[in-house]
């Protein structure tokens, strides 16, 4: 940009204020998302991941209590 060229804000100064862009239009996610397939909605029953999360939490809690208690 040369010194004689006006800055972008100077070009807009006389015009109307810019309008708000629609959601996601001006961001990096515009036109690159892919829809989720229907098969993924029923790929895992809800209780399987929940069971794994609870089991992991119990193991970690037992490890922490064991380290503190000195077992």
């Amino acid at each position: 940009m040369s010194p004689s060229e006006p800055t972008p804000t100077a070009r807009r100064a006389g015009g109307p204020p810019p309008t708000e862009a629609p959601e996601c239009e001006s961001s990096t996610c515009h036109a690159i998302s892919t829809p989720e397939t229907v098969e993924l909605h029923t790929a895992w029953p809800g209780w399987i991941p929940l069971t794994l999360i609870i089991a992991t939490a119990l193991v970690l809690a037992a490890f922490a209590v064991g380290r503190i208690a000195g077992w």
Side-chain angles (χ1 to χ4, degrees), residues 59-71:
V59 168
L60 291 175
F63 178 76
V65 168
R67 291 287 291 173
I68 293 169
W71 294 331

Side-chain angles (χ1 to χ4, degrees), residues 11-51:
R11 286 187 219 135
R12 275 192 291 155
T19 58
E20 187 174 332
E23 183 181 346
C24 206
E25 182 178 304
S26 60
S27 69
T28 57
C29 64
H30 176 65
I32 62 169
S33 63
T34 56
E36 188 175 296
T37 62
V38 177
E39 291 82 18
L40 292 177
H41 290 278
T42 57
W44 288 87
W47 61 270
I48 292 176
L50 184 60
T51 304

